[in-house]
Amino acid sequence: LGGAAAGSSADAAAEAAQEGGGERLTQLLQGASETFHARFESTFGLRHKGGRSDDEIAFAQAAMSTMLGGVGYFYGSSKVTIKGQGAEDRVVEAPPRPLFTAVPSRSFFPRGFLWDE
């Protein structure tokens, strides 16, 4: 639910934070919040079409935020254990690769990882 102006909003927020402008940063955050709520409703129509309560809409927004917040893209090397013939296992660094991952619960898995299943 980002939108084309997301980059300019982020730039403005960073600038306001660096300048120590608490009031300006508060205004930017309130504007972003209002934009999110309006875009969420226009996309999913839970209030208008679904007749959902404020609590149900807040729950849906939190669920979507958590789901999308767990998606990440990383690029770099991984350490891989190669099982040896005897008791010797070797740890080697694999070549850099991209990793697109989804973490099921950010509170338990705060970083992306490669699923081994």
Side-chain angles (χ1 to χ4, degrees):
L1 295 175
S8 61
S9 295
D11 294 341
E15 187 178 308
Q18 285 179 344
E19 293 173 2
E23 185 176 322
R24 176 71 179 132
L25 187 56
T26 298
Q27 290 171 349
L28 289 167
L29 290 172
Q30 286 174 341
S33 179
E34 290 167 8
T35 300
F36 170 77
H37 292 296
R39 180 101 187 259
F40 188 88
E41 179 58 29
S42 71
T43 301
F44 299 107
L46 297 183
R47 184 177 317 281
H48 180 69
K49 292 184 258 180
R52 302 291 181 203
S53 70
D54 288 343
D55 286 343
E56 291 170 318
I57 292 170
F59 176 80
Q61 290 172 339
M64 187 189 74
S65 176
T66 299
M67 179 184 67
L68 294 177
V71 174
Y73 174 82
F74 304 90
Y75 185 85
S77 298
S78 296
K79 295 192 188 240
V80 179
T81 302
I82 298 176
K83 297 285 184 185
Q85 295 294 344
E88 293 284 323
D89 289 345
R90 289 186 314 146
V91 176
V92 297
E93 191 167 301
R97 297 179 185 255
L99 173 63
F100 184 69
T101 183
V103 180
S105 172
R106 287 185 290 164
S107 59
F108 291 107
F109 305 106
R111 290 174 290 290
F113 57 92
L114 182 62
W115 294 91
D116 62 355
E117 297 178 15

